[in-house]
């Protein structure tokens, strides 16, 4: 098994995605994923806690990149703009994984338990963003509002991006949704 | 049974709340709720589809009041402000039911399935708000963004209100969170 390790993570992920897409997330077992990847169940569990985590691995990594970008945004920018800088880092992460990201979303859309898990992850992202804003000196309420609204705008942009097959410019879609948020708060001429 | 009808709904709700609080939502049966209310299971099902719906009944009513208030807001106001008018109608509804609303939230907080149902209801409220904004001539994206952000601000305010025991001014808390949202989008001096 040792010489397979370098690619084992990716092979397991690929096998899992194929099986989830073909037969539905619920009906696939870890043993089947491992077998399709030419690996053992034991190897699977070296990489993932369970089959669900194949779809959520790596989120700590981008959450940290998100927080660093929020904290590192220029001091003068508005809280929502600092969150926007963090979302730009998330978009960078997603855009290097266009195919995985769009296929993953389609798998999530087919299963309420996975959607619930995703909402929990997004709530965690908002909490992380709020913490980063508080370190910038933003008030508790302002930090919570900006982070939650920003993550919501990310979801709007991401859904649009997925609906276009992942070919669009996610950064631009995020900018558009943040711009729209500013507009609907102040502009009565819509 | 007929002469009990006028108060049956309220008695079933009261019995259900007491049992949910005492023993946890999962462990309570419809038969037990009916028995505590001095009614039959058949009567229960005349009012509620299942025990969960005891906690969600009436939401169509306030959703309609919300939509009417959004649509009826002055033509010149920003989309978010129109949503704010709708949330004011929701606050009116909640404030006539302070005790039920706070106890209900505590029951919801103890059960992930109920939280999921509540999120679905809130998502539905946002969709209703977006539809009302589109009838005011707001663009699809602007309507979705304003409605989702507005419902999010309602959640921020409502959580604060519940954490204060339901004694505070929910209208004011909603105004505060909407004001904060406007501030974090434009103000870099936070």
């Amino acid at each position: 098994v040792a010489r397979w390790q370098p690619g084992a993570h990716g092979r397991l992920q690929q096998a899992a995605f194929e099986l989830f897409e073909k037969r539905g997330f619920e009906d696939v077992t870890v043993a089947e994923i491992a077998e399709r990847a030419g690996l053992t169940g034991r190897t699977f569990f070296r990489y993932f806690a369970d089959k669900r985590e194949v779809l959520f691995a790596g989120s700590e990594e981008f959450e940290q990149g998100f927080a660093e970008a929020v904290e590192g945004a220029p001091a003068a920018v508005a809280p929502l703009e600092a969150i926007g800088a963090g979302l730009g880092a998330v978009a960078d992460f997603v855009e290097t994984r266009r195919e995985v990201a769009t296929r993953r979303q389609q798998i999530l859309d087919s299963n309420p338990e996975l959607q619930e898990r995703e909402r929990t992850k997004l709530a965690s992202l908002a909490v992380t963003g709020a913490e980063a804003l508080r370190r910038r000196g933003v008030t508790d309420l302002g930090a919570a509002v900006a982070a939650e609204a920003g993550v919501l705008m990310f979801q709007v942009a991401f859904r649009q991006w997925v609906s276009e097959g992942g070919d669009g410019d996610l950064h631009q879609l995020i900018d558009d949704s943040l711009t729209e948020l500013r507009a609907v708060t102040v502009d009565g001429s819509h």
Side-chain angles (χ1 to χ4, degrees), chain A:
Chain A
V1 171
R3 70 190 172 85
W4 289 347
Q5 291 306 315
H9 184 281
R11 279 162 55 200
L12 286 164
Q13 189 179 49
Q14 191 184 337
F17 272 53
E18 287 166 2
L19 288 170
F20 294 161
E21 288 165 346
K22 204 182 338 186
R23 306 223 321 268
F25 174 79
E26 298 87 345
D27 287 343
V28 175
T29 67
V30 165
E32 289 169 328
I33 296 168
E35 191 191 350
R36 190 180 184 97
L39 297 164
T40 64
R42 206 177 143 197
T43 303
F44 177 94
F45 289 115
R46 206 171 296 156
Y47 292 95
F48 305 105
D50 54 39
K51 67 174 176 174
R52 199 179 63 173
E53 289 314 298
V54 176
L55 296 160
F56 292 94
S59 60
E60 293 77 14
E61 186 189 331
F62 87 65
E63 198 161 316
Q64 195 186 334
F66 167 72
E68 285 168 6
V70 172
E71 239 185 310
V77 305
L80 187 69
E81 196 172 339
I83 292 291
L87 296 176
V90 174
D92 288 342
F93 181 90
V94 169
E95 289 195 326
T96 61
R97 295 159 177 78
R98 283 175 184 275
E99 193 200 326
V100 167
T102 50
R103 288 172 66 188
R104 175 183 177 279
Q105 188 59 45
Q106 282 152 7
I107 295 166
L108 261 54
D109 286 343
S110 70
N111 184 288
E113 182 213 333
L114 296 175
Q115 290 163 30
E116 174 65 17
R117 175 82 175 134
E118 179 77 344
R119 275 191 287 265
T120 302
K121 287 272 183 179
L122 287 164
S124 164
L125 192 67
V127 168
T128 298
E131 285 168 358
L133 285 178
R134 284 201 297 269
R135 287 194 295 273
R136 292 171 61 91
V138 179
T139 62
D140 285 1
L141 178 60
V145 162
E148 296 207 30
V151 169
L152 184 64
M153 291 307 104
F154 175 79
Q155 290 173 265
V156 168
F158 184 73
R159 276 198 294 260
Q160 180 65 26
W161 183 78
V162 169
S163 77
E164 294 170 358
D167 293 328
D169 182 341
L170 182 56
H171 285 83
Q172 187 60 53
L173 290 168
I174 292 170
D175 279 352
D176 291 349
S177 68
L178 291 172
T179 300
E180 193 68 26
L181 178 59
R182 282 180 208 103
V184 297
T185 63
V186 296
D187 181 1
S189 67
H190 250 76

